[in-house]
Amino acid sequence: MGALTGRFWESTPLDKLDRAQWEALCDGCGKCCLHKLEDEDTGELIATNVACRLLDRRSGQCSNYRHRRAYVSECVRLTMGNVHEIDWLPTTCAYRLRANDEPLPDWHYLVSGDREAVHRARESVRGWTISEDDAGDLELHMVDRQL
């Protein structure tokens, strides 16, 4: 098992990361847990401010990560095998960035050493989302926001 020391994300290819290193890449923004709508004509994805019921919208973490698929069957398990295929990952997603050999942003906690930096940089779901349990019609929750 690799260590979570040093700048492992820069020196270790995604397919060589161990499970702890892989999980450590998540910045806790929560954006991947937002519902998206697809335009039937263009295929374009449209962001909403509606979060999965399991998302802790304050921390940006899943409230039941280990068992999430038991409660949300459509939850996608991001893996080294599918990270290149998932086009709806946020543009700031560390998995997406590293898959494209791009650096992590300065606010990423692995770079900054601060889990709150993602929130201060306004790159998380904190403060502008609603739970799917309270939202109702998703079309009423479309947002003009780059995810």
Side-chain angles (χ1 to χ4, degrees), residues 90-147:
T91 58
T92 58
C93 175
Y95 298 103
R96 181 179 184 162
L97 292 171
R98 295 310 304 137
N100 293 324
D101 291 321
E102 296 176 40
L104 299 182
D106 290 342
W107 49 258
H108 193 289
Y109 83 96
L110 288 173
V111 177
S112 69
D114 180 4
R115 281 271 185 199
E116 289 295 307
V118 64
H119 305 298
R120 282 194 306 279
R122 304 183 66 77
E123 291 292 345
S124 76
V125 300
R126 185 185 283 174
W128 62 274
T129 59
I130 185 171
S131 172
E132 67 185 343
D133 291 334
D134 302 320
D137 187 355
L138 290 180
E139 291 182 355
L140 299 176
H141 292 277
M142 294 185 293
V143 293
D144 184 21
R145 210 177 242 263
Q146 176 97 17
L147 295 184

Side-chain angles (χ1 to χ4, degrees), residues 36-39 42-47 87-88:
K36 295 122 189 108
L37 297 173
E38 184 175 356
D39 184 299
T42 66
E44 175 188 9
L45 292 178
I46 302 161
D87 59 357
W88 49 259

Side-chain angles (χ1 to χ4, degrees), residues 21-137:
Q21 290 170 327
W22 176 263
E23 294 294 333
L25 277 181
C26 179
D27 59 35
C29 74
K31 291 189 258 183
C32 62
C33 299
L34 295 180
H35 289 275
K36 295 122 189 108
L37 297 173
E38 184 175 356
D39 184 299
E40 292 178 13
D41 297 326
T42 66
E44 175 188 9
L45 292 178
I46 302 161
T48 75
N49 69 338
V50 180
C52 170
R53 69 179 37 93
L54 293 181
L55 183 67
D56 179 328
R57 296 177 301 117
R58 180 144 180 78
S59 72
Q61 305 287 318
C62 183
S63 63
N64 196 347
Y65 184 72
R66 182 179 293 257
H67 301 107
R68 67 193 184 280
R69 301 248 343 190
Y71 298 98
V72 181
S73 60
E74 66 273 11
C75 183
V76 173
R77 182 173 181 258
L78 188 62
T79 67
M80 291 170 230
N82 67 11
V83 69
H84 294 284
E85 301 162 13
I86 300 177
D87 59 357
W88 49 259
L89 286 174
T91 58
T92 58
C93 175
Y95 298 103
R96 181 179 184 162
L97 292 171
R98 295 310 304 137
N100 293 324
D101 291 321
E102 296 176 40
L104 299 182
D106 290 342
W107 49 258
H108 193 289
Y109 83 96
L110 288 173
V111 177
S112 69
D114 180 4
R115 281 271 185 199
E116 289 295 307
V118 64
H119 305 298
R120 282 194 306 279
R122 304 183 66 77
E123 291 292 345
S124 76
V125 300
R126 185 185 283 174
W128 62 274
T129 59
I130 185 171
S131 172
E132 67 185 343
D133 291 334
D134 302 320
D137 187 355

Side-chain angles (χ1 to χ4, degrees), residues 2-16:
L4 293 181
T5 59
R7 295 173 73 92
F8 70 87
W9 61 93
E10 293 176 337
S11 59
T12 309
L14 276 182
D15 63 348
K16 301 295 185 209

